[in-house]
Amino acid sequence: MKVKKSRMEALKMLISSMELGSQEEVLQALEKEGFKLTQATLSRDLKQLKVAKAASMNGKYVYVLPNDTMYKRFTRPRTAAEMLQTSGFLSISFSGNLGVIKTRPGYASSIAYNIDNSDSPDILGTIAGDDTIFIVIKEGVSPENVVTELKPVIGDISLAAE
């Protein structure tokens, strides 16, 4: 199951960072990342991710993820392996007893899940979108304490410059 999860993450990264117009192109891109699979398996993966085709800026029809406006295309795409090296965390900021964590597209849900399961005594809960997490913090807890509690969960976390 670990292989499928890695493959699905790589597939999301490839679709969000490249203009892939056919399953053959997707299969070739996945193979470059070390994933050798059949067209049937790719079809099932695309269906599971609810991937669709839409016109790109140049009029070519390419694969897109749901709510593709949230997925930013990069001019120099990194390999999926490079993208999987980091946690997906981008920044955290606070207002009162609320925190907002920004992530790379597609990472918020898994990071929020890990926060919720960390049993942090100062975090009451999270709500995750595609690239944003709201965290509710107990009254009177400092942002610095929250960041300290999140280090084991997120790793490369630091307080955003105000």
Side-chain angles (χ1 to χ4, degrees), residues 119-125 136-139 141-142 145-146 149:
D119 296 324
S120 168
D122 295 328
I123 297 173
L124 299 175
V136 180
I137 303 155
K138 283 186 178 176
E139 292 290 334
V141 175
S142 74
N145 283 358
V146 173
E149 285 184 19

Side-chain angles (χ1 to χ4, degrees), residues 19-87:
E19 290 194 353
L20 301 168
S22 70
Q23 287 192 1
E24 185 59 38
E25 289 176 5
V26 176
L27 285 170
Q28 288 172 1
L30 282 168
E31 192 167 343
K32 286 180 185 174
E33 298 298 331
F35 298 98
K36 181 87 169 129
L37 58 147
T38 65
Q39 184 273 329
T41 300
L42 175 61
S43 282
R44 285 190 294 274
D45 289 353
L46 293 173
K47 184 176 181 180
Q48 184 177 343
L49 291 174
K50 296 181 171 76
V51 171
K53 273 195 164 181
S56 67
M57 296 296 244
N58 64 11
K60 176 183 172 190
Y61 279 85
V62 297
Y63 288 107
V64 294
L65 294 162
N67 301 320
D68 191 47
T69 55
M70 297 173 144
Y71 290 84
K72 295 159 183 69
R73 296 195 182 274
F74 301 99
T75 53
R76 190 202 72 76
R78 298 181 297 170
T79 67
E82 286 175 315
M83 290 185 256
L84 293 171
Q85 295 289 322
T86 62
S87 69

